[in-house]
Amino acid sequence: MTRIVILSGAGLSAESGLGTFRDVDGLWTRYDLNDVATPGGFARNPALVHDFYNARRANMRAARHNMAHSALARLSRAPGVTLVTQNIDDLLERAGARDVVHMHGRLDRALCAACGARWDAPEAMVPGAPCPECADPVTRPDVVWFGEMPYHMDRIEDALARCDLFASIGTSGTVYPAAGFVELARMAGAHTVELNLEASGGAFDEVREGPATALVPAWVD
Ligand code: BV8
């Protein structure tokens, strides 16, 4: 059985209308990530952070999955495939993917900073809304901010150590530890391929340039 690890980033959902971070009109050109994607930013101004994620949650709910999500959903059903995403949207799930590994969390989930309880996020989260489990008022989106440990790292590193093929789809390879996954795959002897609008400059054996909705279905099928 061929063991495949796939890592996706914002480029996978770009053609569904969800913004990327570092492209020309990306999110980080309009918001300072220190204000909206760090624990310090949340402590300073929880209302701003909730507004930022509430707007992205509304965009996500209005978006539709695209042909690249559907192709990865089909692939996710094959044995030996680990589908890792940095994305916090649910478009892979809506395309029918199973067991998606959301290493940076999920926009449609909420987290209690006090007791660790998780639940489905409401349309709009507001500062001070009590945790349904412990009633603590510090409730936040269940996403991984800068300086926080990404989720599922043991499972991801185990899959990378044993994979034969690693594909990176629609990510700039800027953020760690995800940006280091290609090296871990290479050390495991895997063939590494990048599918991206433009090559990120990462050390891949193979690079295919173009939009995800053209590249991914062709590569999967
Ligand atoms: C950690 C939140 C350690 C959720 C995100 C100082 C202090 C602390 C840490 C650090 C530090 N300096 C460096 C670090 C490490 C830091 C880091 O890497 N910083 C970078 C900026 C240098 N990493 C961390 O902090 C991580 N945690 O290190 O913890 C630790 C250890 C022990 C104990 C505790 C802690 C946490 C990283 C996660 C941060 N959260 N987001 C959210 O709001 O979404 S990161 C953010 O960037 C998103 O999650 C996003 O997924 C991720 C990566 O971005 P991309 O997906 O690649 O998107 P980007 O816009 O960059 O690129 C778009 C790509 O799409 C391009 O390549 C483009 O060509 C392509 N594209 C566009 N259109 C298309 C397309 N491709 C195909 N088709 C198209 N149509």
Side-chain angles (χ1 to χ4, degrees):
M1 172 176 68
T2 303
R3 296 182 183 283
I4 305 173
V5 175
I6 294 163
L7 172 69
S8 57
L12 177 67
S13 300
E15 289 160 272
S16 293
L18 300 190
T20 65
F21 292 87
R22 297 166 185 86
D23 287 330
V24 168
D25 57 349
L27 284 164
W28 297 152
T29 64
R30 287 176 275 138
Y31 290 90
D32 179 340
L33 66 84
N34 293 297
D35 293 339
V36 293
T38 62
F42 182 65
R44 283 193 302 276
N45 189 346
L48 173 68
V49 174
H50 281 308
D51 287 350
F52 174 64
Y53 285 101
N54 291 343
R56 289 176 64 191
R57 190 174 301 112
N59 288 344
M60 176 183 76
R61 293 240 160 67
R64 288 181 47 76
H65 61 273
N66 62 51
M67 291 185 291
H69 295 109
S70 300
L72 290 184
R74 286 196 299 279
L75 186 59
S76 74
R77 294 193 196 91
V81 175
T82 304
L83 197 50
V84 183
T85 187
Q86 298 171 96
N87 297 341
I88 59 174
D89 64 59
D90 64 349
L91 296 184
L92 278 167
E93 284 83 0
R94 280 157 61 184
R98 288 186 334 196
D99 191 18
V100 180
V101 183
H102 283 272
M103 65 180 291
H104 291 165
R106 290 190 59 160
L107 197 50
D108 56 357
R109 298 287 283 168
L111 169 68
C112 173
C115 75
R118 287 179 167 84
W119 62 96
D120 289 341
E123 287 294 311
M125 295 189 74
V126 295
C131 166
E133 295 285 319
C134 74
D136 189 277
V138 185
T139 50
R140 54 174 278 187
D142 185 16
V143 300
V144 176
W145 286 326
F146 288 97
E148 295 184 325
M149 178 58 86
Y151 296 154
H152 313 297
M153 285 305 294
D154 290 347
R155 176 178 172 190
I156 295 168
E157 286 166 355
D158 179 58
L160 289 166
R162 299 187 300 155
C163 76
D164 310 296
L165 176 59
F166 175 76
S168 175
I169 299 172
T171 177
S172 62
T174 312
V175 174
Y176 288 85
F181 290 172
V182 59
E183 197 45 43
L184 295 179
R186 169 186 307 287
M187 284 167 19
H191 177 73
T192 59
V193 56
E194 177 175 43
L195 308 180
N196 202 328
L197 196 60
E198 292 164 8
S200 66
F204 293 92
D205 297 313
E206 180 190 355
V207 177
R208 298 186 187 186
E209 289 189 335
T213 54
L215 291 182
V216 177
W219 180 74
V220 166
D221 299 336

